[in-house]
Amino acid sequence: MRKRSKQFVIRLSESEWNHLNELVKESNLSRESYLRMCINGLLPRPVPTKELIELIEILREIAENMNQIAISVYTQNTMDKSFYMENYEKLQDQINEIMILIRQPINMEEVWQLQKYGQ
């Protein structure tokens, strides 16, 4: 681990302090880690939403099922069509859900803050 022996004091207004704490909370980092990343030219991203994490888990399950189907077809030269169609439909539903999430309108206040702080 690197030794960090230098420190400095920075004074912030109440609104700057609140904004920094909000960004830190969204990133799930410590305030120090967040600021070190910014100093190094990196902009921490917010932690993915619970919905996105759940979606990824569902997609992984579907991928595993599809892999099992492929193995079955390869080894036995047969396929359970209903199992395949069920997973295909789940995959399509999840893709549709992702498309809805990424097409949701963005709050203009968030866009302004992104532009203001160079994100």
Side-chain angles (χ1 to χ4, degrees), residues 16-28:
E16 291 169 332
W17 178 255
N18 291 337
H19 184 69
L20 174 61
N21 286 333
E22 193 176 303
L23 293 171
V24 166
K25 183 178 178 182
E26 288 174 3
S27 71
N28 201 26

Side-chain angles (χ1 to χ4, degrees), residues 29-71:
L29 297 169
S30 68
R31 192 176 299 115
E32 293 80 8
S33 294
Y34 187 92
L35 291 172
R36 279 189 199 102
M37 287 182 75
C38 291
I39 288 168
N40 289 313
L42 303 172
L43 186 61
R45 292 180 184 238
V47 172
T49 62
K50 288 179 184 178
E51 293 86 3
L52 181 57
I53 292 170
E54 289 172 6
L55 241 125
I56 291 168
E57 288 174 8
I58 291 168
L59 289 173
R60 284 186 176 144
E61 288 174 17
I62 292 169
E64 179 61 32
N65 289 341
M66 301 294 269
N67 187 46
Q68 290 173 2
I69 291 168
I71 291 169

